[in-house]
């Protein structure tokens, strides 16, 4: 848990409730957390899902690992401590989107189970939906894809603390959904996520 440094700060409540925002948008906000190896297909499915939700008139916003590290988390590296802080910050951002009634599509390797569980707990404390989606792709397949050439660099020792090579990945114990991207088509993956969202009552159309 991150220590509260600032003093004399208090949460300021407004006049608009979360239920009010959800009613206006016609949906419940939620955080969909895609986790898995680099190259597993997290961003690919999130991009396709965002497009499908737009077609349905459902507001969503995609929070991508590299995009976040180019902005708000540009001061963080890939040590265990920095990874934890990276996930803590994005968890707080995703929670704000969820509170606003927007569906947050968060695509992060997020290799440590404790960090993902902390984000889940953060949402649970406020009664917000958090859906962990394990993008399950064998390391061998992810390394074969290697869309950014990162595995090759990690194998050559040019990148340190790389998940799956010299840093661990801890699989989710009980994710809400598992997408086996080496066996499923992209359309099947998107359909599976949409079906779960409908089942959870996040969106009402089918």
């Amino acid at each position: 848990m991150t220590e509260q440094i600032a003093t004399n700060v208090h949460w300021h409540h407004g006049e608009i409730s979360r239920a009010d925002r959800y009613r206006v948008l016609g949906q419940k906000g939620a955080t969909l957390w895609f986790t898995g190896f680099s190259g597993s297909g997290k961003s690919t499915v999130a991009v396709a899902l965002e497009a499908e939700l737009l077609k349905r008139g459902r507001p969503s916003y995609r929070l991508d690992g590299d995009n976040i590290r180019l902005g708000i988390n540009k001061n963080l590296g890939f040590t265990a401590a920095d990874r934890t802080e990276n996930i803590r910050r994005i968890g707080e951002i995703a929670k704000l989107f969820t509170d606003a009634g927007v569906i947050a599509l968060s695509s992060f390797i997020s290799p440590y189970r404790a960090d993902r569980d902390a984000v889940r707990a953060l949402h649970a404390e406020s009664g917000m939906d958090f859906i962990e989606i394990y993008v399950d792709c064998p390391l061998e397949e992810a390394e074969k894809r290697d869309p950014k050439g990162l595995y090759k660099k990690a194998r050559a020792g040019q990148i340190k603390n790389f998940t799956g090579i010299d840093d661990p990945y801890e699989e989710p114990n009980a994710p809400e959904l598992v997408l086996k991207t080496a066996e499923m088509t992209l359309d099947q993956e998107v359909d599976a996520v949409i079906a779960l969202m409908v089942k959870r009552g996040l969106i009402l159309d089918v």
Side-chain angles (χ1 to χ4, degrees):
M1 183 66 68
T2 301
E3 180 185 0
Q4 176 70 49
I5 301 298
T7 59
N8 298 311
V9 292
H10 307 277
W11 187 265
H12 188 279
H13 293 280
E15 297 183 359
I16 307 302
S17 71
R18 187 185 308 159
D20 292 330
R21 291 189 286 270
Y22 287 6
R23 185 175 60 256
V24 167
L25 292 174
Q27 69 178 31
K28 290 181 64 180
T31 292
L32 276 59
W33 193 277
F34 297 88
T35 175
F37 286 121
S38 175
S40 62
K42 301 181 302 299
S43 294
T44 300
V45 67
V47 166
L49 179 61
E50 184 179 38
E52 178 60 27
L53 289 171
L54 179 64
K55 288 181 184 178
R56 296 166 180 254
R58 301 303 179 185
S60 66
Y61 193 83
R62 189 171 48 85
L63 301 168
D64 185 80
D66 280 5
N67 294 356
I68 294 297
R69 283 183 175 275
L70 286 169
I72 193 169
N73 287 349
K74 68 194 312 180
N75 65 322
L76 298 177
F78 291 93
T79 65
D82 279 358
R83 286 180 185 272
T84 293
E85 177 60 13
N86 182 58
I87 297 306
R88 186 195 71 80
R89 291 183 193 178
I90 198 58
E92 293 283 1
I93 294 171
K95 179 186 170 187
L96 291 176
F97 274 102
T98 297
D99 189 42
V102 175
I103 298 166
L105 309 176
S106 302
S107 304
F108 297 85
I109 296 173
S110 46
Y112 306 136
R113 194 175 295 121
D115 294 343
R116 299 191 303 265
D117 288 347
V119 178
R120 179 186 291 277
L122 179 70
H123 284 67
E125 288 168 4
S126 297
M128 297 181 187
D129 283 276
F130 176 89
I131 298 174
E132 187 174 35
I133 301 174
Y134 177 28
V135 184
D136 183 6
C137 178
L139 178 62
E140 297 76 15
E141 175 63 24
E143 189 168 358
K144 187 189 304 179
R145 298 174 181 175
D146 203 10
K148 302 174 185 176
L150 300 179
Y151 285 101
K152 184 177 181 180
K153 290 182 179 180
R155 291 291 187 189
Q158 298 172 15
I159 299 178
K160 301 297 183 183
N161 307 120
F162 194 80
T163 302
I165 304 301
D166 58 353
D167 212 54
Y169 178 80
E170 299 171 356
E171 296 184 3
N173 284 328
E176 280 73 15
L177 182 63
V178 177
L179 299 177
K180 292 185 176 293
T181 60
E183 303 172 12
M184 303 170 68
T185 66
L186 183 57
D187 285 345
Q188 289 173 332
E189 294 167 27
V190 171
D191 288 346
V193 178
I194 291 290
L196 178 59
M197 295 176 72
V198 171
K199 182 179 179 180
R200 293 281 293 259
L202 301 181
I203 54 178
L204 300 180
D205 57 327
V206 296

